[in-house]
Amino acid sequence: MSTPTETPLAPPDPAPGAPQLRRSGQNKIIGGVCGGLGRYCDIDPVIFRIALGVLSVTGGLGLVFYGFAWLLVPLDGEDENEARRLLTGRVEGAALVAVLMALAGCGIFLTMLRNGSVMTFAVLLALLLGGAAAWSQRRSTAPPDTPLDPVAAQAVADAPPETKAPPAPSPPSWWRDPIVKDGTTGPVAGGYLWGPADADAPPAGKAARKAARAAARADRGPRPIGGLLFFLALLAFGAGLGARWGHQPLGTGLETGFAAALGVFALGLIVSSLLGRTGFGTVFLAVLTAALLAGSAALPKTIDAHWVRTDWAPTAIGEVRPDYDLGSGVATLDLSRVAVPPGRTLTTGAQVGAGRAKVVVPKDVTVKVSFDMGVGDIQLPGEDPNHIQVEPGEKRTATLAPPAGAKPAGTLELHLKVGVGQAEVDRAAS
């Protein structure tokens, strides 16, 4: 007597996947980003709105995230996001607002980089929000941990296979079957998919070609204005820089020029959403201009637009000034002929915005020098002049003892400050 073969239990159906991340078209205030995130992560959208609002005012990270999410996440019922429309030259109001929001967030973020406490709070809040969203999304999509009913599993296993429709007939394949001129397939040799027109085909006239070109232009949309925007931005940058040149620091002139160019790009994006067409290049140049504007704001205000060479050579203690200043250029302070009596301290300093500050100290004095460098290199006596080490924000002090056998002399306190460039101290030979 044969025993019936046991049918193994069928595995349970997989749990349905998580909903796709889409911007909400119903539960939205601006772009629907928070509504879509709340639905995707199973969290109240108000939490995202409050957190992103706090991140927007404490470092700009909220604006950066919201702007890029608006560009990259498609809306409900759509497969194309705003970034793709922007890359194809279709600048619409939503894409324009998202780009301007991301630019504003980047500007706030760059201005807050030196505020360590605010940036630390913003980063911790962003990590906390991201962790809570990931945990909630994973919890909501986890499959239920319930065992499968044995009777139901046996019924599923014994059920006949599902009836499937026959495959639809496929069209002729150019690489399986040869194709002839009338579109049919078969063993006829010599067919091809492309090649010269038939001998009896009438040549296309000028009117037909003109109509085809007009139709192609209509399909491409409005005339592109990216090149014109770039030219106008260059003119605005030159006008802004020229207005500040000569009587304002270089950083102020660059700020004015880049701000004018960024204004041109912003107005161009607004106009292009109505009358023209711009592409990704214009948006990239606008972002680059915003970054250059933030960089120019960080330049020391001591840098001016005139590069000069200046030599100061006092011969007595009474001629030595407390400070020597130069905006941009090469400054040399020669103190080799100044005699500092023993037991006396002489204090002086030199400040250069951009360039090189060199000080020649007397042979027999003790030198106590302090450096305050924005971005630059420091050279001391005895160091290799070809070894250049540039470090940002370097503050350094050094004491240079007189050479062996020198007669007793006083002390020289020297303060050197260079925004961008090199500071060098050299000792006179005699």
Side-chain angles (χ1 to χ4, degrees), residues 34-424:
C34 294
L37 286 174
R39 180 180 56 195
Y40 181 74
C41 299
D42 195 20
I43 295 180
D44 192 341
V46 176
I47 297 178
F48 285 103
R49 292 181 182 126
I50 295 175
L52 291 180
V54 173
L55 289 174
S56 298
V57 298
T58 57
L61 292 177
L63 290 175
V64 175
F65 173 81
Y66 200 97
F68 281 104
W70 196 348
L71 287 173
L72 299 177
V73 179
L75 189 64
D76 279 337
E78 297 182 1
D79 295 329
E80 190 176 36
N81 55 24
E82 300 295 338
R84 181 160 184 169
R85 294 191 182 97
L86 193 64
L87 292 176
T88 55
R90 292 172 290 167
V91 180
E92 300 176 355
L96 177 61
V97 174
V99 170
L100 294 180
M101 184 177 293
L103 287 177
C106 291
I108 298 176
F109 177 76
L110 291 174
T111 58
M112 289 289 184
L113 283 178
R114 296 183 179 181
N115 197 333
S117 58
V118 173
M119 292 305 300
T120 302
F121 170 75
V123 171
L124 291 178
L125 179 59
L127 293 176
L128 180 63
L129 180 63
W135 174 82
S136 179
Q137 194 271 341
R138 184 175 180 180
R139 179 182 58 83
S140 63
T141 57
D145 214 5
T146 57
L148 186 66
D149 186 6
V151 177
Q154 186 66 34
V156 171
D158 294 340
E162 183 182 358
T163 305
K164 297 183 179 180
S170 59
S173 174
W174 64 271
W175 58 273
R176 290 194 189 97
D177 305 314
I179 301 177
V180 296
K181 297 296 286 186
D182 59 356
T184 62
T185 60
V188 182
Y192 53 83
L193 285 177
W194 55 86
D198 293 337
D200 54 352
K206 288 185 178 180
R209 290 195 296 269
K210 196 173 191 180
R213 287 195 295 268
R217 284 195 299 269
D219 291 340
R220 287 195 299 267
R223 182 178 180 180
I225 60 174
L228 178 61
L229 276 182
F230 178 69
F231 178 71
L232 293 177
L234 284 180
L235 292 180
F237 172 76
L241 181 61
R244 301 288 185 176
W245 190 269
H247 58 278
Q248 292 286 343
L250 179 61
T252 303
L254 291 176
E255 286 182 58
T256 305
F258 286 128
L262 189 62
V264 169
F265 281 125
L267 291 176
L269 290 174
I270 295 175
V271 172
S272 66
S273 64
L274 303 174
L275 303 177
R277 179 163 60 96
T278 57
F280 176 73
T282 303
V283 178
F284 174 76
L285 289 176
V287 175
L288 179 62
T289 304
L292 292 175
L293 175 60
S296 62
L299 287 177
K301 298 304 179 183
T302 55
I303 303 176
D304 58 26
H306 298 285
W307 188 273
V308 296
R309 286 182 173 271
T310 302
D311 294 327
W312 301 295
T315 58
I317 291 181
E319 298 178 2
V320 178
R321 303 201 304 257
D323 295 295
Y324 294 87
D325 296 329
L326 179 65
S328 302
V330 178
T332 302
L333 175 59
D334 188 359
L335 302 174
S336 59
R337 291 181 289 178
V338 177
V340 183
R344 184 169 178 180
T345 300
L346 176 63
T347 303
T348 186
Q351 178 175 342
V352 175
R356 181 185 180 194
K358 180 179 180 180
V359 180
V360 181
V361 300
K363 177 182 178 180
D364 51 358
V365 300
T366 300
V367 182
K368 296 181 179 180
V369 57
S370 62
F371 298 94
D372 186 359
M373 306 293 294
V375 178
D377 174 57
I378 296 174
Q379 290 286 330
L380 293 174
E383 295 183 351
D384 184 7
N386 296 322
H387 178 69
I388 298 176
Q389 184 176 0
V390 178
E391 295 184 6
E394 183 178 8
K395 296 182 184 296
R396 179 177 167 188
T397 59
T399 301
L400 307 177
K407 62 180 181 179
T411 302
L412 174 63
E413 289 187 357
L414 190 60
H415 305 283
L416 296 181
K417 184 176 182 180
V418 178
V420 179
Q422 185 183 57
E424 179 181 356

